[in-house]
Amino acid sequence: MESDSVIDQAYDSYTDEDHAVWQALYNRQTALLPGRVCPEFLAGLKTLAIAEDGIPEFSRLSDALEQLTGWRIVAVPGLIQDEIFFAHLAARRFPVTNWIRKRESMDYLQEPDVFHDLFGHVPLLTNPFFADYMAAYGRGGLKAMGLGTLDMLARLYWYTVEFGLIATPVGLRIYGAGIASSKGESLYCLDDPAPHRIHFDLKRILRSRYRIDDFQETYFVIDSFDSLVAATLPDFAPIYDAVRDLDEIPAGTLIPEDKPFDR
Ligand code: PHE
Ligand code: FE
């Protein structure tokens, strides 16, 4: 392994069972997602021809993706150091874990595997606005490390890239990878009356704690990918300074300024 944590995908090491697990997860999510996930995600799956019959080869996907938005996929062994992760994003390289879960863990995993990283994250990297957002996030991550504000910035990743919802003319849709790769949460986030769904608000998100052990209690709704890019374009240094003095907001708590999204 190099200091950038990149490894070979080791495509030939996947077993028939590994490919069958991919196929089962792929079939389950693609049956569920039309009408639930945003059209840009479905378009990305299709243009990249993300396969139903087995784990895709990263080099082939990278060549197709690079033509579209300049992004490539690199294989990594699992979670990598923050600084290395951000440097990859800033250089338009998306790190994807190379191993796949076992069949006993179809529904829940504590750490990302190739299904989450690839099926969940890569389709939207075909969208020019989202592609730019992810690269800007990488640069912002390196900057936040220097400022000591990574705990705040990490919440933005969580509530957009992993668990974001988007308002479309035909209704609320999923774009977060943590949702799109999960059967249970793909249903829950849209259908269950319990969670809060509130309009995107950058400062609010930077103050919002989150839970990693269960479905989210609050989702933030963006209007479009270009409005997400626009909202996160300004220099965050003064925003961090303003937010630092405010209380954190516990997961699932509403504050008076919250604008509930009504469908
Ligand atoms: N504009 C942010 C900053 O100055 C960087 C950023 C962009 C962070 C997009 C997240 C998403 O820190
Ligand atoms: Fe993820």
Side-chain angles (χ1 to χ4, degrees):
M1 199 190 313
E2 304 289 332
S3 58
D4 59 4
S5 297
V6 172
I7 58 173
D8 188 82
Q9 187 187 0
Y11 193 80
D12 294 335
S13 321
Y14 295 127
T15 62
D16 290 347
E17 172 64 5
D18 289 338
H19 288 296
V21 169
W22 169 280
Q23 193 165 26
L25 289 163
Y26 178 97
N27 289 340
R28 194 166 79 168
Q29 285 315 98
T30 50
L32 208 61
L33 290 178
R36 293 183 175 273
V37 81
C38 64
E40 293 85 350
F41 183 99
L42 292 174
L45 271 184
K46 205 171 162 196
T47 20
L48 293 175
I50 290 182
E52 61 188 67
D53 58 347
I55 302 167
E57 258 190 278
F58 298 173
S59 57
R60 183 193 64 76
L61 277 189
S62 288
D63 292 342
L65 187 57
E66 191 168 20
Q67 299 284 318
L68 296 166
T69 56
W71 277 79
R72 294 191 67 85
I73 295 159
V74 291
V76 291
L79 291 172
I80 58 176
Q81 286 172 27
D82 293 333
E83 189 170 7
I84 297 176
F85 180 68
F86 296 139
H88 280 304
L89 297 187
R92 294 177 111 78
R93 288 189 297 265
F94 193 75
V96 173
T97 302
N98 71 335
W99 53 268
I100 191 154
R101 70 194 74 181
K102 297 288 169 220
R103 204 177 279 276
E104 308 82 77
S105 324
M106 285 280 283
D107 294 316
Y108 183 73
L109 266 197
Q110 281 195 332
E111 31 167 359
D113 70 341
V114 64
F115 188 74
H116 168 81
D117 283 342
L118 206 160
F119 183 92
H121 286 282
V122 173
L124 273 189
L125 291 173
T126 60
N127 177 266
F129 289 105
F130 196 82
D132 285 351
Y133 176 68
M134 290 293 278
Y137 189 93
R139 295 191 296 274
L142 294 169
K143 177 169 146 187
M145 287 185 77
L147 295 170
T149 53
L150 196 50
D151 49 340
M152 286 188 253
L153 185 66
R155 295 172 178 153
L156 180 62
Y157 193 90
W158 189 264
Y159 283 118
T160 59
V161 179
E162 293 294 352
F163 292 97
L165 296 179
I166 183 166
T168 79
V170 288
L172 198 56
R173 295 289 184 270
I174 296 160
Y175 73 91
I179 308 176
S181 61
S182 156
K183 179 189 177 198
E185 199 148 0
S186 307
L187 298 166
Y188 173 88
C189 72
L190 297 177
D191 298 349
D192 201 285
H196 304 299
R197 300 171 187 90
I198 59 184
H199 283 282
F200 178 91
D201 175 333
L202 178 62
K203 282 197 185 125
R204 197 316 187 176
I205 290 177
L206 297 178
R207 296 170 61 195
S208 302
R209 299 176 58 96
Y210 54 83
R211 42 190 315 169
I212 59 168
D213 57 342
D214 203 353
F215 295 159
Q216 299 305 300
E217 294 169 283
T218 302
Y219 298 96
F220 291 89
V221 181
I222 62 170
D223 288 327
S224 62
F225 293 119
D226 61 324
S227 68
L228 176 64
V229 169
T232 52
L233 207 59
D235 178 10
F236 280 15
I239 302 176
Y240 292 137
D241 287 339
V243 168
R244 221 192 306 259
D245 296 331
L246 302 171
D247 287 332
E248 292 185 339
I249 303 166
T253 303
L254 286 182
I255 59 169
E257 300 82 61
D258 286 338
K259 289 206 275 317
F261 178 85
D262 23 57
R263 287 181 275 174

Tab-separated table of all heavy atoms in Angstrom, residues 66-96:
chain	number	residue	atom	x	y	z
A	66	GLU	N	-14.436	9.414	-16.055
A	66	GLU	CA	-13.475	10.480	-16.341
A	66	GLU	C	-13.903	11.313	-17.554
A	66	GLU	O	-13.751	12.534	-17.571
A	66	GLU	CB	-12.078	9.898	-16.553
A	66	GLU	CG	-10.997	10.967	-16.582
A	66	GLU	CD	-9.589	10.397	-16.495
A	66	GLU	OE1	-9.400	9.185	-16.791
A	66	GLU	OE2	-8.676	11.152	-16.136
A	67	GLN	N	-14.473	10.627	-18.543
A	67	GLN	CA	-14.981	11.327	-19.734
A	67	GLN	C	-16.075	12.323	-19.369
A	67	GLN	O	-16.242	13.343	-20.021
A	67	GLN	CB	-15.636	10.312	-20.705
A	67	GLN	CG	-14.721	9.246	-21.236
A	67	GLN	CD	-13.808	9.797	-22.296
A	67	GLN	OE1	-14.241	10.574	-23.148
A	67	GLN	NE2	-12.529	9.445	-22.226
A	68	LEU	N	-16.862	11.978	-18.355
A	68	LEU	CA	-18.032	12.787	-18.019
A	68	LEU	C	-17.683	13.966	-17.114
A	68	LEU	O	-18.036	15.100	-17.388
A	68	LEU	CB	-19.095	11.916	-17.338
A	68	LEU	CG	-19.688	10.804	-18.220
A	68	LEU	CD1	-20.468	9.803	-17.374
A	68	LEU	CD2	-20.598	11.422	-19.280
A	69	THR	N	-17.016	13.699	-16.003
A	69	THR	CA	-16.791	14.767	-15.006
A	69	THR	C	-15.348	14.827	-14.497
A	69	THR	O	-15.064	15.579	-13.558
A	69	THR	CB	-17.726	14.579	-13.785
A	69	THR	OG1	-17.519	13.266	-13.248
A	69	THR	CG2	-19.183	14.769	-14.165
A	70	GLY	N	-14.460	14.019	-15.076
A	70	GLY	CA	-13.058	14.073	-14.656
A	70	GLY	C	-12.747	13.282	-13.394
A	70	GLY	O	-11.610	13.311	-12.918
A	71	TRP	N	-13.752	12.564	-12.857
A	71	TRP	CA	-13.506	11.758	-11.652
A	71	TRP	C	-13.005	10.367	-12.026
A	71	TRP	O	-13.372	9.826	-13.066
A	71	TRP	CB	-14.787	11.614	-10.816
A	71	TRP	CG	-15.015	12.788	-9.917
A	71	TRP	CD1	-15.518	14.000	-10.290
A	71	TRP	CD2	-14.735	12.862	-8.511
A	71	TRP	NE1	-15.562	14.829	-9.193
A	71	TRP	CE2	-15.089	14.164	-8.093
A	71	TRP	CE3	-14.217	11.961	-7.568
A	71	TRP	CZ2	-14.944	14.587	-6.765
A	71	TRP	CZ3	-14.071	12.375	-6.256
A	71	TRP	CH2	-14.428	13.677	-5.864
A	72	ARG	N	-12.178	9.780	-11.138
A	72	ARG	CA	-11.797	8.379	-11.245
A	72	ARG	C	-12.063	7.693	-9.909
A	72	ARG	O	-12.262	8.356	-8.892
A	72	ARG	CB	-10.313	8.208	-11.618
A	72	ARG	CG	-9.985	8.718	-13.022
A	72	ARG	CD	-8.585	8.295	-13.468
A	72	ARG	NE	-8.450	6.850	-13.654
A	72	ARG	CZ	-8.767	6.208	-14.777
A	72	ARG	NH1	-9.245	6.853	-15.819
A	72	ARG	NH2	-8.587	4.897	-14.852
A	73	ILE	N	-12.086	6.370	-9.931
A	73	ILE	CA	-12.283	5.580	-8.721
A	73	ILE	C	-10.961	4.908	-8.381
A	73	ILE	O	-10.296	4.407	-9.284
A	73	ILE	CB	-13.348	4.499	-8.992
A	73	ILE	CG1	-14.684	5.167	-9.273
A	73	ILE	CG2	-13.460	3.517	-7.849
A	73	ILE	CD1	-15.607	4.240	-10.014
A	74	VAL	N	-10.581	4.941	-7.100
A	74	VAL	CA	-9.390	4.187	-6.686
A	74	VAL	C	-9.795	3.197	-5.599
A	74	VAL	O	-10.688	3.474	-4.796
A	74	VAL	CB	-8.247	5.107	-6.182
A	74	VAL	CG1	-7.660	5.913	-7.347
A	74	VAL	CG2	-8.699	6.040	-5.060
A	75	ALA	N	-9.172	2.043	-5.588
A	75	ALA	CA	-9.476	1.017	-4.583
A	75	ALA	C	-8.707	1.302	-3.297
A	75	ALA	O	-7.535	1.686	-3.335
A	75	ALA	CB	-9.094	-0.366	-5.109
A	76	VAL	N	-9.398	1.127	-2.168
A	76	VAL	CA	-8.768	1.261	-0.847
A	76	VAL	C	-9.216	0.070	0.006
A	76	VAL	O	-10.232	-0.565	-0.279
A	76	VAL	CB	-9.146	2.603	-0.150
A	76	VAL	CG1	-8.515	3.797	-0.875
A	76	VAL	CG2	-10.651	2.778	-0.039
A	77	PRO	N	-8.469	-0.225	1.087
A	77	PRO	CA	-8.806	-1.396	1.898
A	77	PRO	C	-9.967	-1.190	2.867
A	77	PRO	O	-10.419	-2.136	3.490
A	77	PRO	CB	-7.513	-1.671	2.672
A	77	PRO	CG	-6.765	-0.383	2.679
A	77	PRO	CD	-7.170	0.364	1.455
A	78	GLY	N	-10.455	0.038	3.008
A	78	GLY	CA	-11.525	0.338	3.965
A	78	GLY	C	-11.419	1.803	4.317
A	78	GLY	O	-10.899	2.588	3.515
A	79	LEU	N	-11.880	2.165	5.506
A	79	LEU	CA	-11.799	3.574	5.911
A	79	LEU	C	-10.335	4.008	5.921
A	79	LEU	O	-9.462	3.261	6.348
A	79	LEU	CB	-12.430	3.768	7.293
A	79	LEU	CG	-13.958	3.598	7.322
A	79	LEU	CD1	-14.477	3.616	8.757
A	79	LEU	CD2	-14.659	4.653	6.481
A	80	ILE	N	-10.082	5.205	5.437
A	80	ILE	CA	-8.710	5.720	5.368
A	80	ILE	C	-8.631	7.021	6.160
A	80	ILE	O	-9.653	7.582	6.537
A	80	ILE	CB	-8.258	5.941	3.900
A	80	ILE	CG1	-9.194	6.918	3.162
A	80	ILE	CG2	-8.207	4.601	3.158
A	80	ILE	CD1	-8.745	7.248	1.732
A	81	GLN	N	-7.401	7.472	6.406
A	81	GLN	CA	-7.223	8.692	7.199
A	81	GLN	C	-7.891	9.894	6.525
A	81	GLN	O	-7.863	10.022	5.303
A	81	GLN	CB	-5.739	9.008	7.343
A	81	GLN	CG	-5.012	8.096	8.300
A	81	GLN	CD	-3.516	8.350	8.247
A	81	GLN	OE1	-3.065	9.458	7.924
A	81	GLN	NE2	-2.743	7.325	8.551
A	82	ASP	N	-8.411	10.790	7.352
A	82	ASP	CA	-9.118	11.968	6.844
A	82	ASP	C	-8.310	12.730	5.802
A	82	ASP	O	-8.816	13.070	4.736
A	82	ASP	CB	-9.430	12.937	7.997
A	82	ASP	CG	-10.447	12.359	8.971
A	82	ASP	OD1	-11.268	11.523	8.550
A	82	ASP	OD2	-10.409	12.748	10.164
A	83	GLU	N	-7.056	12.991	6.127
A	83	GLU	CA	-6.255	13.828	5.243
A	83	GLU	C	-6.069	13.179	3.869
A	83	GLU	O	-6.114	13.849	2.832
A	83	GLU	CB	-4.894	14.100	5.896
A	83	GLU	CG	-4.100	15.120	5.137
A	83	GLU	CD	-2.850	15.580	5.894
A	83	GLU	OE1	-2.532	15.011	6.966
A	83	GLU	OE2	-2.196	16.512	5.390
A	84	ILE	N	-5.900	11.858	3.880
A	84	ILE	CA	-5.724	11.120	2.622
A	84	ILE	C	-7.037	11.112	1.839
A	84	ILE	O	-7.064	11.330	0.627
A	84	ILE	CB	-5.226	9.687	2.922
A	84	ILE	CG1	-3.853	9.751	3.603
A	84	ILE	CG2	-5.190	8.833	1.660
A	84	ILE	CD1	-3.294	8.406	4.040
A	85	PHE	N	-8.130	10.926	2.554
A	85	PHE	CA	-9.462	10.935	1.932
A	85	PHE	C	-9.725	12.283	1.256
A	85	PHE	O	-10.111	12.348	0.076
A	85	PHE	CB	-10.510	10.642	3.005
A	85	PHE	CG	-11.926	10.624	2.502
A	85	PHE	CD1	-12.359	9.633	1.638
A	85	PHE	CD2	-12.832	11.606	2.898
A	85	PHE	CE1	-13.682	9.607	1.169
A	85	PHE	CE2	-14.149	11.591	2.443
A	85	PHE	CZ	-14.573	10.592	1.577
A	86	PHE	N	-9.494	13.365	1.980
A	86	PHE	CA	-9.766	14.699	1.419
A	86	PHE	C	-8.866	14.994	0.218
A	86	PHE	O	-9.309	15.604	-0.755
A	86	PHE	CB	-9.576	15.789	2.482
A	86	PHE	CG	-10.535	15.693	3.630
A	86	PHE	CD1	-10.107	15.917	4.942
A	86	PHE	CD2	-11.881	15.393	3.417
A	86	PHE	CE1	-10.993	15.835	6.010
A	86	PHE	CE2	-12.775	15.314	4.482
A	86	PHE	CZ	-12.331	15.532	5.781
A	87	ALA	N	-7.601	14.570	0.310
A	87	ALA	CA	-6.678	14.821	-0.808
A	87	ALA	C	-7.160	14.081	-2.063
A	87	ALA	O	-7.091	14.612	-3.171
A	87	ALA	CB	-5.264	14.395	-0.431
A	88	HIS	N	-7.684	12.869	-1.895
A	88	HIS	CA	-8.237	12.147	-3.051
A	88	HIS	C	-9.421	12.908	-3.645
A	88	HIS	O	-9.492	13.110	-4.855
A	88	HIS	CB	-8.694	10.740	-2.652
A	88	HIS	CG	-7.573	9.744	-2.568
A	88	HIS	ND1	-6.725	9.493	-3.616
A	88	HIS	CD2	-7.180	8.908	-1.560
A	88	HIS	CE1	-5.839	8.558	-3.261
A	88	HIS	NE2	-6.097	8.190	-2.008
A	89	LEU	N	-10.350	13.318	-2.786
A	89	LEU	CA	-11.523	14.035	-3.306
A	89	LEU	C	-11.104	15.307	-4.046
A	89	LEU	O	-11.614	15.603	-5.136
A	89	LEU	CB	-12.495	14.411	-2.177
A	89	LEU	CG	-13.162	13.291	-1.385
A	89	LEU	CD1	-14.204	13.883	-0.438
A	89	LEU	CD2	-13.822	12.258	-2.291
A	90	ALA	N	-10.185	16.052	-3.442
A	90	ALA	CA	-9.748	17.317	-4.058
A	90	ALA	C	-9.157	17.061	-5.444
A	90	ALA	O	-9.251	17.902	-6.328
A	90	ALA	CB	-8.746	18.016	-3.152
A	91	ALA	N	-8.555	15.877	-5.632
A	91	ALA	CA	-7.960	15.515	-6.924
A	91	ALA	C	-8.950	14.730	-7.798
A	91	ALA	O	-8.544	14.104	-8.785
A	91	ALA	CB	-6.684	14.709	-6.697
A	92	ARG	N	-10.216	14.746	-7.437
A	92	ARG	CA	-11.280	14.056	-8.171
A	92	ARG	C	-11.004	12.552	-8.295
A	92	ARG	O	-11.176	11.945	-9.352
A	92	ARG	CB	-11.489	14.679	-9.571
A	92	ARG	CG	-12.016	16.105	-9.500
A	92	ARG	CD	-12.143	16.736	-10.868
A	92	ARG	NE	-13.505	16.979	-11.325
A	92	ARG	CZ	-14.303	17.981	-10.952
A	92	ARG	NH1	-13.946	18.798	-10.039
A	92	ARG	NH2	-15.493	18.129	-11.452
A	93	ARG	N	-10.574	11.973	-7.173
A	93	ARG	CA	-10.458	10.509	-7.089
A	93	ARG	C	-11.360	10.066	-5.953
A	93	ARG	O	-11.218	10.521	-4.818
A	93	ARG	CB	-9.012	10.094	-6.755
A	93	ARG	CG	-8.026	10.270	-7.885
A	93	ARG	CD	-6.689	9.634	-7.528
A	93	ARG	NE	-6.071	10.277	-6.361
A	93	ARG	CZ	-5.170	11.246	-6.422
A	93	ARG	NH1	-4.741	11.714	-7.586
A	93	ARG	NH2	-4.672	11.774	-5.315
A	94	PHE	N	-12.300	9.151	-6.248
A	94	PHE	CA	-13.173	8.678	-5.178
A	94	PHE	C	-12.675	7.324	-4.671
A	94	PHE	O	-12.621	6.355	-5.420
A	94	PHE	CB	-14.626	8.584	-5.652
A	94	PHE	CG	-15.554	8.404	-4.480
A	94	PHE	CD1	-15.840	9.483	-3.649
A	94	PHE	CD2	-16.070	7.158	-4.165
A	94	PHE	CE1	-16.634	9.307	-2.518
A	94	PHE	CE2	-16.870	6.989	-3.045
A	94	PHE	CZ	-17.158	8.071	-2.225
A	95	PRO	N	-12.323	7.248	-3.377
A	95	PRO	CA	-11.828	5.983	-2.816
A	95	PRO	C	-12.986	4.998	-2.591
A	95	PRO	O	-13.972	5.348	-1.944
A	95	PRO	CB	-11.222	6.389	-1.461
A	95	PRO	CG	-11.182	7.896	-1.454
A	95	PRO	CD	-12.265	8.341	-2.389
A	96	VAL	N	-12.860	3.815	-3.130
A	96	VAL	CA	-13.889	2.781	-2.989
A	96	VAL	C	-13.268	1.551	-2.336
A	96	VAL	O	-12.250	1.028	-2.802
A	96	VAL	CB	-14.499	2.415	-4.371
A	96	VAL	CG1	-15.437	1.216	-4.265
A	96	VAL	CG2	-15.244	3.614	-4.974
